[in-house]
Amino acid sequence: MMFVSIYTVTKKLPSVVKDILKISMSFPLAITASELAVNYIYDFKRFLKWSGIHHRCKTQTHLRAMITMDYHRIEKGLSLKEPRVGFGQEVIQMLLSNLDEYKEKYGIDETFQIALNSLFTYYKFNVDRGHKNEKIYEIITGLKDLINTKESTIKEGGVKKVTRNSILESCQIDFRAFCQSRYSIRHFTSSEVDINLIVQAVEIAQKTPSVCNRQSSKVYVFSSDEDKRKVLSYQNGNRGFGDQVSKVLIVTSDLENFVSIGERNQCWIDGGMYAMSLVYALHSLGLGTCCLNWSVTSYFDQELKKATGIKDSESVIMMIAVGHLPEELKVAQSPRKKVDEVLFVK
Ligand SMILES: Cc1cc2nc3c(=O)[nH]c(=O)nc-3n(C[C@H](O)[C@H](O)[C@H](O)COP(=O)(O)O)c2cc1C
């Protein structure tokens, strides 16, 4: 039976993995290797299916990701100390073509408007400096009718001026003390967390940096006892406190936002950073949180998605338990390594 299942699994493996498995392996190692390969193939298939790497049929999210990537290239170029006049003509062409396709398929929305605003900032910067490219600039000016319509209240996109002082003023917080006072909480009161606090925390977390500002992260909130019980039943690290949690959050990152093979692991970076911001945001609002690992095999990943309706294109980054802090509680000390163990000044 065991032999049959391994055979079925390995039969499906690409030859390169088979070659690896042929390297003399003990039977238990071969089983582990096969299971590992099956899980990698799950990730591989999802990335191949959902990301924009093959460009055959672009979904709205793929197109949005590419538009965002390109208008953000313009923003980045313009934010340099000395932007090069006429920079990024290829990017502009690609952006214009994607905007055209987007408008045809999905109409004009916020992403479209932001991209237009960036394009106009780019246009003004170059034309003011005498740069000429009639073909491109004609198309950009032709888009003017689509901007500043009554419906368009979106002014974002492009660059803005900030001062050193304005940044430093906002830094007048004791960030060290703030970080030191966050603990993973495993003891909560029975009072409910107002959903508005979660909304506020998500608003704060939206400022998290992400690759080319593509913002692939999403947050799902579970509040009813039934939903929380169901969701937490798939997670292995909430025993002893899961039943006290007021809200269970699931943070995901949508693979449709990634458009190159090099970005195959980007969901874990962007989603992980987002989750950290969210935890700090919840902490800043006085709530207790505990990150809950989603270190599971493909089987449980699929089961959770079936139970919650989270799309297959989304990678689950982690769950976050949220609740109110009791007057007094114990926290794990979780001592940290010393700086000289982790910092290498070369
Ligand atoms: C991705 C991630 C997953 C975690 N999963 C769990 C978990 O399943 N259960 C739990 O009790 N704590 C979990 N933790 C909390 C860690 O144990 C905790 O962050 C670590 O010991 C440091 O302690 P502190 O958060 O109190 O500073 C997780 C933390 C992270 C970042």
Side-chain angles (χ1 to χ4, degrees):
M1 180 66 197
M2 183 79 82
F3 175 77
V4 172
S5 71
I6 291 165
Y7 175 73
T8 344
V9 164
T10 48
K11 207 170 71 156
K12 289 184 188 159
L13 299 178
S15 58
V16 60
V17 183
K18 275 190 183 167
D19 285 347
I20 296 167
L21 294 181
K22 263 189 236 153
I23 295 168
S24 75
M25 274 187 183
S26 65
F27 190 60
L29 183 56
I31 294 174
T32 310
S34 298
E35 280 173 8
L36 181 61
V38 166
N39 280 273
Y40 269 120
I41 289 170
Y42 173 70
D43 294 342
F44 169 84
K45 277 170 73 176
R46 288 182 49 251
F47 192 76
L48 189 62
K49 181 171 179 186
W50 296 112
S51 76
I53 54 173
H54 45 70
H55 297 288
R56 259 184 291 127
C57 58
K58 289 180 215 151
T59 65
Q60 185 170 12
T61 313
H62 292 150
L63 263 177
R64 226 185 237 161
M66 286 190 285
I67 288 171
T68 306
M69 210 164 113
D70 288 338
Y71 83 63
H72 185 57
R73 282 183 175 147
I74 303 177
E75 292 185 314
K76 283 194 287 191
L78 291 169
S79 72
L80 296 177
K81 188 178 175 190
E82 285 174 16
R84 187 170 55 80
V85 176
F87 76 90
Q89 305 276 300
E90 272 175 26
V91 172
I92 300 289
Q93 262 167 7
M94 195 125 68
L95 177 58
L96 288 171
S97 140
N98 282 331
L99 281 173
D100 202 40
E101 187 175 342
Y102 194 88
K103 183 162 61 73
E104 287 306 308
K105 286 186 174 165
Y106 311 109
I108 296 173
D109 62 5
E110 199 167 321
T111 306
F112 193 94
Q113 288 288 347
I114 293 173
L116 283 191
N117 292 344
S118 308
L119 265 176
F120 280 108
T121 318
Y122 172 87
Y123 170 77
K124 189 169 180 339
F125 169 82
N126 285 300
V127 171
D128 283 357
R129 284 157 187 78
H131 188 258
K132 289 196 173 49
N133 185 335
E134 272 169 30
K135 207 172 124 208
I136 283 185
Y137 295 153
E138 232 169 65
I139 302 176
I140 296 180
T141 43
L143 291 169
K144 268 208 164 128
D145 296 344
L146 302 176
I147 207 166
N148 296 330
T149 54
K150 261 190 213 144
E151 304 82 53
S152 160
T153 49
I154 296 145
K155 299 281 171 263
E156 294 154 299
V159 282
K160 64 174 182 180
K161 280 205 177 113
V162 292
T163 63
R164 183 170 177 268
N165 273 349
S166 69
I167 293 176
L168 294 186
E169 262 167 35
S170 308
C171 296
Q172 301 298 318
I173 53 164
D174 193 343
F175 190 61
R176 181 187 289 255
F178 175 79
C179 293
Q180 296 292 351
S181 64
R182 185 211 52 81
Y183 301 97
S184 288
I185 303 299
R186 300 177 180 91
H187 172 182
F188 300 97
T189 70
S190 57
S191 54
E192 205 189 319
V193 169
D194 188 330
I195 189 68
N196 288 319
L197 288 173
I198 306 291
V199 174
Q200 282 180 50
V202 170
E203 268 169 17
I204 299 171
Q206 281 299 105
K207 187 67 178 82
T208 307
S210 63
V211 67
C212 295
N213 200 27
R214 270 175 271 164
Q215 307 167 62
S216 66
S217 303
K218 296 182 187 174
V219 184
Y220 295 86
V221 189
F222 299 88
S223 305
S224 75
D225 286 344
E226 192 192 338
D227 283 350
K228 287 185 289 185
R229 232 190 331 268
K230 185 172 67 181
V231 164
L232 289 179
S233 72
Y234 297 101
Q235 202 277 335
N236 65 9
N238 65 87
R239 196 174 299 153
F241 65 95
D243 57 339
Q244 301 164 20
V245 168
S246 172
K247 297 271 187 281
V248 178
L249 312 186
I250 298 184
V251 179
T252 70
S253 168
D254 195 336
L255 295 177
E256 288 194 61
N257 290 282
F258 303 112
V259 294
S260 72
I261 294 171
E263 291 180 339
R264 68 196 179 282
N265 293 318
Q266 197 61 42
C267 65
W268 311 117
I269 319 292
D270 284 12
M273 289 182 66
Y274 190 92
M276 183 74 256
S277 293
L278 186 55
V279 165
Y280 274 141
L282 292 161
H283 177 49
S284 78
L285 297 169
L287 294 166
T289 61
C290 187
C291 299
L292 299 173
N293 77 81
W294 192 240
S295 312
V296 295
T297 56
S298 52
Y299 173 78
F300 288 103
D301 199 55
Q302 284 164 305
E303 289 298 300
L304 178 73
K305 285 175 179 170
K306 262 189 245 159
T308 56
I310 291 175
K311 289 190 299 168
D312 184 48
S313 65
E314 294 179 43
S315 295
V316 175
I317 307 299
M318 67 173 78
M319 297 187 188
I320 303 175
V322 188
H324 283 293
L325 296 164
E327 283 299 323
E328 209 173 87
L329 68 159
K330 282 179 287 179
V331 291
Q333 288 202 11
S334 300
R336 300 305 207 259
K337 291 178 182 172
K338 302 287 169 283
V339 169
D340 61 10
E341 284 181 77
V342 300
L343 176 66
F344 305 96
V345 182
K346 297 284 186 191

